[in-house]
Coordinates of all heavy atoms in Angstrom, one line a residue:
I496 N 76.6 111.9 120.3 CA 76.9 110.8 119.3 C 77.6 109.6 120.0 O 78.5 109.8 120.8 CB 77.9 111.3 118.2 CG1 77.3 112.5 117.4 CG2 78.2 110.2 117.2 CD1 78.2 113.0 116.3
S497 N 77.0 108.5 119.8 CA 77.6 107.3 120.5 C 79.0 107.0 120.1 O 79.4 107.4 118.9 CB 76.7 106.1 120.2 OG 76.8 105.7 118.9
P498 N 79.8 106.5 120.9 CA 81.2 106.2 120.5 C 81.3 105.3 119.3 O 82.2 105.6 118.4 CB 81.8 105.4 121.8 CG 80.9 105.9 122.9 CD 79.6 106.1 122.3
V499 N 80.4 104.4 119.1 CA 80.5 103.5 117.9 C 80.2 104.3 116.7 O 80.8 104.2 115.6 CB 79.5 102.3 118.0 CG1 79.4 101.6 116.7 CG2 79.9 101.4 119.2
S500 N 79.1 105.2 116.8 CA 78.8 106.1 115.6 C 79.9 107.0 115.3 O 80.2 107.4 114.1 CB 77.5 106.8 115.9 OG 76.4 106.0 116.0
L501 N 80.6 107.5 116.3 CA 81.7 108.4 116.1 C 82.8 107.7 115.4 O 83.5 108.3 114.6 CB 82.2 109.0 117.5 CG 83.0 110.3 117.5 CD1 82.2 111.4 116.8 CD2 83.4 110.7 118.9
V502 N 83.1 106.5 115.8 CA 84.1 105.7 115.1 C 83.7 105.5 113.7 O 84.6 105.6 112.7 CB 84.4 104.3 115.8 CG1 85.3 103.4 115.0 CG2 85.0 104.6 117.2
F503 N 82.5 105.2 113.4 CA 82.0 105.0 112.1 C 82.2 106.2 111.2 O 82.6 106.2 110.1 CB 80.5 104.6 112.1 CG 79.8 104.6 110.8 CD1 80.0 103.5 110.0 CD2 78.9 105.6 110.5 CE1 79.3 103.5 108.7 CE2 78.2 105.5 109.2 CZ 78.4 104.5 108.4
L504 N 81.8 107.4 111.8 CA 82.0 108.7 111.2 C 83.5 108.9 110.8 O 83.8 109.3 109.7 CB 81.5 109.8 112.1 CG 81.8 111.2 111.7 CD1 81.1 111.6 110.4 CD2 81.4 112.2 112.9
M505 N 84.3 108.7 111.8 CA 85.7 109.0 111.7 C 86.4 108.1 110.6 O 87.2 108.5 109.8 CB 86.4 108.8 113.0 CG 87.9 109.0 113.0 SD 88.7 108.4 114.5 CE 88.5 106.6 114.2
L506 N 86.0 106.8 110.6 CA 86.6 105.8 109.6 C 86.3 106.2 108.2 O 87.1 106.2 107.3 CB 86.1 104.4 109.9 CG 86.6 103.8 111.2 CD1 86.1 102.4 111.4 CD2 88.2 103.7 111.2
L507 N 85.0 106.5 107.9 CA 84.6 106.9 106.6 C 85.2 108.2 106.1 O 85.6 108.3 105.0 CB 83.1 107.0 106.5 CG 82.3 105.6 106.6 CD1 80.8 105.8 106.4 CD2 82.8 104.6 105.6
L508 N 85.4 109.1 107.0 CA 86.0 110.4 106.7 C 87.5 110.2 106.5 O 88.1 110.8 105.6 CB 85.8 111.4 107.8 CG 84.4 112.0 107.9 CD1 84.3 113.0 109.1 CD2 84.1 112.8 106.6
R509 N 88.1 109.2 107.2 CA 89.5 108.9 107.0 C 89.7 108.3 105.6 O 90.7 108.6 105.0 CB 89.9 107.9 108.1 CG 91.4 107.5 108.0 CD 91.8 106.7 109.2 NE 93.0 106.0 109.1 CZ 94.2 106.6 109.4 NH1 94.2 107.8 109.7 NH2 95.3 105.9 109.2

Side-chain angles (χ1 to χ4, degrees):
I496 301 179
S497 69
V499 174
S500 294
L501 198 59
V502 170
F503 174 72
L504 167 69
M505 180 194 67
L506 290 179
L507 292 184
L508 287 176
R509 181 174 167 82

